[in-house]
Amino acid sequence: EKRRVTQIEKNGYPDSIYMNAAKIFQGIHTEKSEDKSQVRYGDNAESPKVTFKDEYSRHASYELAFNALKYQDLLEEILLDSKAYPCYSIPDELTSLLVVMLYDLQDRKFQKGKVFAEEEVVAEVQEIGHYLYSYKTKLAAALARCRIKYDALSIEYFLPENVWKQEKRASALPVCFWINTLKISLEDVIRDLEMKGFTKVESVSDFDHYTYAVDQHCHDVLVFPSSLREELLNLDLFADCKLILQ
């Protein structure tokens, strides 16, 4: 009997991913002039070293950092409006961590995340996580006020129109993965996918949720429906770098 792929819920990340995302965000966040900046991000003179334990960690860290960047203005407004910032027990050097974790918290609808018992605990992440969760009601109310203020149905409406259209187009595109033939063969990938409940179809026009197709021109490329993106990124094939996201 084939196993069905379970739906991946948004339940947070291991502490190391939050730390890496914060380091990335620290280097890419939008700098504002002194007279306009109410949120301080500390010294950005040196680029902190970022290390990833696997491909999933790398992808998740960058995705979280860039999501925080897209909504930087909104996240800062939420922090200020809720009075969660400034917090004198949190130094400026941890503001990036505060922002990326706030993005994730609102993305989880302000619900508690999963406890990753097998992962290393990072004290700063635990401290910021507990702090934000203690403000969850005020943060949610601040987000609601922002949505009313700007007549926004969801946070996507805070994006510039050209960015929003690009994201909408990108989200509808099929997801492509290269097969890392140094680690696995096409036949073994297909066998693994079939065990997880996937069905091979001839082309993208035949897609029906748990399906995939082999690229007609590059036989070491697999194509999947866009709706499966998050689930695919949680497969061992991806974490072990046997499939590489295009």
Side-chain angles (χ1 to χ4, degrees):
E1 183 181 351
K2 292 181 178 179
R3 290 187 291 120
R4 299 299 293 173
V5 179
T6 55
Q7 182 66 34
I8 302 299
E9 296 181 358
K10 292 176 179 177
N11 52 16
Y13 300 97
D15 289 4
S16 60
I17 290 180
Y18 290 119
M19 285 302 298
N20 282 337
K23 291 175 183 178
I24 296 166
F25 181 79
Q26 180 71 14
I28 64 175
H29 72 271
T30 303
E31 295 280 1
K32 299 175 182 176
S33 60
E34 287 290 331
D35 58 322
K36 292 183 179 180
S37 178
Q38 294 179 271
V39 177
R40 311 289 181 183
Y41 288 94
D43 184 21
N44 197 27
E46 288 187 25
S47 298
K49 185 179 179 182
V50 184
T51 56
F52 309 105
K53 70 173 187 177
D54 53 34
E55 184 66 14
Y56 169 76
S57 174
R58 185 189 69 82
H59 182 274
S61 299
Y62 274 101
E63 185 172 51
L64 182 55
F66 276 93
N67 278 332
L69 177 65
K70 284 188 299 186
Y71 297 103
Q72 180 181 334
D73 288 346
L74 172 63
L75 295 169
E76 289 179 354
E77 187 168 345
I78 292 171
L79 285 170
L80 292 166
D81 184 36
S82 66
K83 304 295 192 293
Y85 184 92
C87 173
Y88 298 104
S89 66
I90 299 176
D92 290 350
E93 288 70 25
L94 290 181
T95 301
S96 287
L97 182 61
L98 186 71
V99 171
V100 299
M101 292 188 72
L102 173 58
Y103 172 82
D104 180 61
L105 182 61
Q106 68 76 34
D107 199 37
R108 288 186 275 116
K109 312 299 182 189
F110 298 95
Q111 299 300 309
K112 270 195 171 180
K114 174 184 174 183
V115 176
F116 295 85
E118 70 282 4
E119 297 285 343
E120 181 183 354
V121 172
V122 180
E124 293 89 343
V125 173
Q126 294 295 310
E127 177 189 352
I128 298 292
H130 290 311
Y131 177 74
L132 285 173
Y133 199 72
S134 72
Y135 268 85
K136 69 170 186 172
T137 302
K138 292 181 179 179
L139 291 166
L143 173 58
R145 285 192 291 272
C146 285
R147 287 173 57 183
I148 293 170
K149 177 180 176 181
Y150 298 105
D151 193 24
L153 295 176
S154 67
I155 69 164
E156 285 77 16
Y157 284 78
F158 289 94
L159 292 173
E161 186 177 1
N162 63 322
V163 177
W164 180 77
K165 286 182 177 179
Q166 287 175 358
E167 294 229 323
K168 189 175 180 181
R169 271 199 303 273
S171 67
L173 292 173
V175 184
C176 297
F177 285 87
W178 290 91
I179 298 171
N180 184 353
T181 53
L182 296 175
K183 290 193 170 189
I184 196 169
S185 66
L186 170 62
E187 292 74 22
D188 287 339
V189 170
I190 289 175
R191 189 178 302 114
D192 192 293
L193 290 172
E194 287 179 348
M195 287 178 61
K196 290 178 169 62
F198 286 86
T199 302
K200 181 182 175 183
V201 295
E202 290 303 312
S203 70
V204 295
S205 60
D206 300 320
F207 277 168
D208 182 21
H209 203 40
Y210 291 108
T211 51
Y212 70 95
V214 178
D215 189 279
Q216 295 178 0
H217 304 288
C218 299
H219 293 164
D220 55 352
V221 173
L222 300 182
V223 188
F224 298 84
S226 59
S227 59
L228 295 178
R229 181 185 178 90
E230 291 302 315
E231 294 180 42
L232 293 167
L233 296 179
N234 281 274
L235 292 179
D236 290 340
L237 288 170
F238 179 74
D240 296 338
C241 297
K242 293 176 180 177
L243 288 182
I244 309 296
L245 180 65
Q246 172 64 48

